[in-house]
Amino acid sequence: MTTRFFIICLLAITALSSCQSGEQQSQTEVANQDTVQTVQAFFPDTLPFDVSGAISVADMKQQLQGKDSLMVKVSAEITETCTRMGCWMDIKDESGKAIKVRMKDHAFFVPVDGCEGKKCVIEGLAFRTTFTEEERLHYAEESDMSAEEIAAIKGPEDVITITAYKVMIENPPVEAHNEHDGHDHEGHDHDHEGHEHHDHEHEGEAK
């Protein structure tokens, strides 16, 4: 009887110890998850800004109704970036349609890859414009579109676009700040000659 009681007590102690160990492990895992922090990278890195209060793309489109342009701080998901220099990126609206975001005056650039699916906040000027067929083809050649998709581009397209003054990207590629070194900025700017005129036309027109 004494031996059986001893064995029962031993089993009970073992079970309790195992339970406590599992609980401690679970608490450790939760603690580890809590220590994972979101890294915010700012472009240009000399102009960090307060990203709180950013609106959705759907809200931006609604507020833009009846206006030519609108100063915005908008939160979105990146779907693509310029594969040559990072002088533009695409975000998507609620229907999945791409909205092109162009870095103001090529004064700064975002990573050329590794940003797909990343959250971002953009501060800049949103406006309605028309991309010519030439412009559409130009951007397509800097994207990951196939030759068949590029060949299917015909005619102009009415779009909403954003000229970005500042961009924040959550958890961007590690090499984000150095990857543009060695690129031919002058030649690339020349390629874009004529593609930035929409931005200048709308500067100061937000209303």
Side-chain angles (χ1 to χ4, degrees):
M1 185 69 176
T2 303
T3 302
R4 181 180 299 177
F5 178 75
F6 175 76
I7 293 174
I8 292 174
C9 290
L10 182 61
L11 290 174
I13 292 172
T14 302
L16 179 61
S17 176
S18 176
C19 183
Q20 290 176 336
S21 176
E23 183 179 351
Q24 290 174 350
Q25 181 178 359
S26 177
Q27 290 175 345
T28 301
E29 290 174 354
V30 170
N32 289 338
Q33 290 174 359
D34 290 341
T35 59
V36 176
Q37 296 182 349
T38 299
V39 176
Q40 294 183 336
F42 294 88
F43 304 87
D45 56 11
T46 55
L47 292 174
F49 63 105
D50 182 6
V51 299
S52 63
I55 62 175
S56 67
V57 177
D59 287 341
M60 178 194 74
K61 291 175 64 178
Q62 183 177 19
Q63 293 181 22
L64 189 57
Q65 290 181 4
K67 299 184 178 75
D68 291 332
S69 57
L70 179 72
M71 288 301 299
V72 296
K73 182 161 59 173
V74 60
S75 175
E77 178 182 318
I78 300 171
T79 57
E80 190 175 10
T81 58
C82 170
T83 59
R84 292 184 182 176
M85 283 187 64
C87 58
W88 58 261
M89 66 183 188
D90 283 350
I91 59 175
K92 61 181 180 181
D93 65 12
E94 68 281 1
S95 67
K97 183 178 180 180
I99 293 178
K100 195 161 300 292
V101 179
R102 301 181 287 187
M103 310 309 137
K104 180 173 169 55
D105 297 333
H106 288 172
F108 63 98
F109 306 94
V110 296
V112 297
D113 57 35
C115 288
E116 294 78 7
K118 303 288 187 181
K119 293 181 180 180
C120 70
V121 174
I122 303 149
E123 186 173 275
L125 183 69
F127 56 95
R128 301 178 187 278
T129 188
T130 300
F131 283 167
T132 64
E133 181 177 319
E134 180 187 6
E135 287 177 304
R136 295 179 65 197
L137 288 170
H138 178 86
Y139 290 124
E141 289 166 359
E142 293 183 332
S143 72
D144 291 325
M145 292 178 67
S146 66
E148 292 76 12
E149 290 173 315
I150 294 176
I153 295 175
K154 303 294 181 184
E157 181 184 22
D158 293 333
V159 299
I160 293 175
T161 187
I162 302 174
T163 297
Y165 300 164
K166 305 173 187 176
V167 174
M168 184 281 291
I169 300 177
E170 289 188 358
N171 301 319
V174 175
E175 65 277 16
H177 297 286
N178 300 317
E179 62 184 1
H180 303 294
D181 293 347
H183 281 281
D184 183 2
H185 288 211
E186 184 177 348
H188 193 81
D189 286 345
H190 176 75
D191 290 344
H192 280 78
E193 214 169 274
H195 297 297
E196 295 297 325
H197 66 281
H198 298 298
D199 299 347
H200 298 299
E201 287 176 2
H202 286 81
E203 272 188 32
E205 290 185 12
K207 56 185 178 182

